[in-house]
Amino acid sequence: MKNLVLDVNVLLDLWLQRVPEKVLFFIAELIAKGENKNYWTWVSSSSLSTLEYIARRELKKGGMEGEQAKQATHALIADLLANVRLLTQFGFQQVMALQLSNDVEDAQIVMAASNLQGSTAIVTNEKRFQTGGEVAQLSLLEVNTWLRQDENRSVEFIDLKTQQDAIRPQLEHNIHRVLAHGQYIMGPEVQELEEVLAGYVGVKHCIAASSGTDTLLIALMALGIGSGDEVITTPFTFIATGEMIALAGAKPVFVDIDPLTYNIDPNLIEAAISSRTKAIMPVSLYGQCADFDAINLIAEKYNLPVIEDGAQSFGARYKGRRSCGLSTIGSTSFFPSKPLGCYGDGGALFTNDDALAKAMREIRVHGQDRRYHHPRIGINGRMDTIQAAVLLAKMKVFEEEVTARARIGARYSEFLRDVAVTPYIAPENRSVYAQYTVQVENRDEVQQRLKEFGVPTAAHYPVPLHLQLAFSCFGSSDGSCPVSEAASNKVMSLPMHPFLTEETMSTVVRSWREAII
Ligand SMILES: *Cc1c(COP(=O)(O)O)cnc(C)c1O
């Protein structure tokens, strides 16, 4: 996304109607909110006092009463702020501003503009800014041409920068609130986040924690799973799933996957249940939920709890219900690149079970039920308040992103239908496409060629868990999960994020067509 920062004089031209009608209309268009814009419009907060001062003075010169001019100016500013994004500059940048230019206010605008991540230009009717070349400056006549130019950026596997610009004002507000109150760990934002997330998923309890790995361990500990126990899971996942079962002291029992969805095959679960089985831990891989009705039915028959590893599926739906609210416990991760990511490590647990919720809350904080009283063994699984503050800002746009992800995933599949094995999304599922993953026979070669074309890719995952050296003590052998083994040789994830444009998708698909020849 591109960024236009409007200079004071452009806004004054509009407010005081100092330019021809055609130009007034053009400026008003730049400010107006719109659906299909490829840019965001910003005003530097440092411009507001100048705007107020000059607008009031000029309106009075034009014959308005003092009080009337004041109110008219405030109405103009309020209207402006309802439409544009307000850009801030940080304290340390004020010192730099003084060194950069002899006009402090101009330098502040340049400093503020350089905080943005996308291509940025200052729109001004007198090109007087000393930008050091980092930020462009445009006259109104040049704006359209600049907006039409390609944003000269390489294809990103996951674009967190555009998202950051999209939510910057809210993000800054939330983070600064934490700096102000100073409760850096498990502060008030953590509880606020838990309420927002529980409401979103539609369950009674949310327990925010330090990472998606820790939440899996906390869930297993809360269920009392340990030495001598077995937990049924999928081998086609990130290491953390099986690793936390082993760390809890239990044995991961790997059950092969469905070849279409890559999720655990419910038809194979029953045969893997033994007298030592204490839980089933399916993963909702690539953003698509496992078949929970089938899994829960088996679990009920054997009286087993089910933990969903929803680290990749937060926001996804299964038969209309949200991921993480589909079984005994739902667990997710807020690692930055996950569908809902923070700016560090984070995770959350979900349940409708009061006793389990209490146990998980205690385990999260060293097993304590009140300060320095520890009825059980726990871990340091607390969440940083700044991470909760970031997530609260992201939750305001999350559902829009979920919708965009579904649209982009479907669009990719239209593009690639005839040249790749595209993802199969079961009719009861709405995927959040944590990854957009296709299959190709000569994966390593294709990946190398795509890399040369500037298209980043990844293999999720090249070695299934039952063949990882770390799990060799559990005695799994080559050939025991043939579907996972075959998939691990062919899967490849393409760039995927909610801000992927039609143009970038075309670039990726064009490169793909060349790379597979
Ligand atoms: C990312 C991930 C995890 C671990 O989450 P962290 O927050 O990185 O600890 C666990 N399981 C799956 C399936 C994941 O993708």
Side-chain angles (χ1 to χ4, degrees):
M1 207 67 154
K2 292 185 178 181
N3 295 299
L4 292 178
V5 182
L6 301 187
D7 185 19
V8 172
N9 53 34
V10 172
L11 291 164
L12 287 170
D13 284 349
L14 174 72
W15 288 358
L16 306 171
Q17 312 204 332
R18 299 193 299 208
V19 284
E21 195 157 335
K22 231 173 73 184
V23 182
L24 292 179
F25 184 74
F26 184 72
I27 303 171
E29 274 292 283
L30 288 182
I31 294 170
K33 279 189 176 144
E35 279 295 303
N36 295 315
K37 289 185 164 183
N38 68 336
Y39 62 91
W40 283 309
T41 309
W42 301 82
V43 169
S44 172
S45 58
S46 56
S47 303
L48 290 183
S49 48
T50 312
L51 272 172
E52 188 195 18
Y53 176 76
I54 299 179
R56 265 171 85 172
R57 191 187 65 197
E58 295 301 310
L59 289 173
K60 270 199 280 193
K61 266 196 210 160
M64 263 192 204
E65 289 289 307
E67 184 60 23
Q68 200 190 356
K70 181 178 154 192
Q71 280 175 12
T73 304
H74 284 185
L76 286 167
I77 291 176
D79 185 55
L80 178 71
L81 295 187
N83 286 290
V84 301
R85 291 150 181 271
L86 203 56
L87 198 51
T88 44
Q89 51 286 128
F90 297 107
F92 69 91
Q93 293 181 316
Q94 309 296 320
V95 183
M96 290 160 71
L98 284 168
Q99 293 161 355
L100 192 83
S101 165
N102 41 23
D103 187 318
V104 173
E105 193 177 333
D106 284 1
Q108 282 176 325
I109 295 175
V110 173
M111 283 291 163
S114 68
N115 286 339
L116 295 170
Q117 309 263 4
S119 304
T120 303
I122 299 171
V123 182
T124 173
N125 56 23
E126 35 179 286
K127 290 194 192 168
R128 57 173 199 278
F129 289 89
Q130 291 163 278
T131 66
E134 225 182 285
V135 174
Q137 51 182 320
L138 310 168
S139 70
L140 283 166
L141 286 173
E142 294 165 322
V143 169
N144 274 335
T145 312
W146 186 80
L147 286 174
R148 272 197 301 272
Q149 281 167 11
D150 278 344
E151 200 165 357
N152 203 0
R153 246 207 221 167
S154 53
V155 180
E156 307 226 19
F157 192 64
I158 291 172
D159 182 1
L160 293 172
K161 292 179 176 171
T162 300
Q163 186 198 46
Q164 188 177 106
D165 280 350
I167 58 169
R168 174 170 293 276
Q170 186 73 50
L171 207 51
E172 287 177 354
H173 175 257
N174 288 10
I175 290 174
H176 280 261
R177 205 168 55 164
V178 179
L179 293 186
H181 69 54
Q183 297 175 58
Y184 303 122
I185 303 232
M186 295 294 290
E189 283 79 2
V190 174
Q191 201 188 337
E192 196 182 329
L193 177 71
E194 288 178 341
E195 282 160 24
V196 170
L197 296 181
Y200 179 80
V201 170
V203 296
K204 218 164 143 190
H205 306 283
C206 167
I207 298 105
S210 43
S211 74
T213 302
D214 291 338
T215 51
L216 293 173
L217 182 62
I218 292 170
L220 291 161
M221 289 172 75
L223 290 165
I225 289 163
S227 161
D229 297 337
E230 292 179 0
V231 177
I232 290 174
T233 191
T234 163
F236 201 60
T237 176
F238 179 60
I239 185 78
T241 319
E243 186 185 31
M244 289 307 105
I245 296 170
L247 194 65
K251 175 187 174 183
V253 174
F254 296 113
V255 165
D256 210 358
I257 55 169
D258 175 285
L260 292 177
T261 64
Y262 305 104
N263 284 326
I264 194 167
D265 185 343
N267 297 315
L268 305 177
I269 292 177
E270 210 161 350
I273 294 176
S274 79
S275 59
R276 290 179 299 279
T277 307
K278 289 287 150 43
I280 306 173
M281 195 148 99
V283 177
S284 295
L285 202 73
Y286 303 151
Q288 168 169 228
C289 292
D291 187 356
F292 276 92
D293 279 359
I295 295 164
N296 288 335
L297 207 63
I298 300 162
E300 270 166 43
K301 185 170 161 191
Y302 292 90
N303 201 19
L304 295 171
V306 178
I307 306 164
E308 178 187 10
D309 181 349
Q312 301 184 8
S313 60
F314 196 74
R317 282 178 191 269
Y318 170 82
K319 299 188 180 174
R321 288 177 293 146
R322 287 232 169 80
S323 171
C324 292
L326 304 169
S327 62
T328 321
I329 296 173
S331 161
T332 197
S333 161
F334 302 127
F335 185 78
S337 61
K338 307 280 170 160
L340 178 64
C342 54
Y343 290 158
D345 276 310
L349 290 151
F350 299 87
T351 188
N352 282 315
D353 185 309
D354 296 344
L356 276 177
K358 180 172 185 288
M360 294 194 290
R361 280 188 197 287
E362 290 175 4
I363 293 165
R364 170 178 64 178
V365 189
H366 298 289
Q368 72 175 24
D369 59 357
R370 66 208 140 95
R371 201 160 201 198
Y372 305 137
H373 290 77
H374 306 267
R376 59 167 86 235
I377 296 294
I379 65 171
N380 173 0
R382 300 171 304 219
M383 177 179 261
D384 288 5
T385 315
I386 283 184
Q387 302 312 331
V390 168
L391 290 166
L392 282 168
K394 291 202 184 189
M395 273 308 283
K396 293 205 188 293
V397 295
F398 184 60
E399 203 50 22
E400 279 168 47
E401 292 189 359
V402 165
T403 307
R405 284 175 173 280
R407 174 177 53 75
I408 289 162
R411 190 79 182 110
Y412 247 143
S413 291
E414 278 174 38
F415 274 131
L416 290 166
R417 187 149 295 142
D418 57 328
V419 283
V421 183
T422 54
Y424 169 80
I425 307 301
E428 67 270 21
N429 274 325
R430 183 186 71 174
S431 176
V432 285
Y433 290 99
Q435 308 296 344
Y436 184 88
T437 306
V438 295
Q439 279 192 30
V440 61
E441 291 296 331
N442 49 340
R443 179 190 53 210
D444 296 352
E445 264 175 75
V446 174
Q447 267 198 293
Q448 183 53 39
R449 273 187 226 139
L450 283 172
K451 191 177 165 191
E452 284 157 20
F453 296 145
V455 175
T457 60
H460 299 108
Y461 294 89
V463 182
L465 299 198
H466 67 290
L467 301 183
Q468 295 283 358
L469 201 55
F471 292 117
S472 56
C473 53
F474 298 114
S476 301
S477 61
D478 219 336
S480 61
C481 294
V483 183
S484 301
E485 288 161 33
S488 66
N489 290 323
K490 296 179 195 163
V491 288
M492 186 171 122
S493 306
L494 299 177
M496 176 71 209
H497 55 79
F499 303 98
L500 209 55
T501 59
E502 195 78 5
E503 293 74 53
T504 310
M505 260 190 278
S506 302
T507 307
V508 172
V509 172
R510 220 179 313 120
S511 305
W512 172 267
R513 286 177 188 273
E514 277 185 54
I516 57 169
I517 292 168

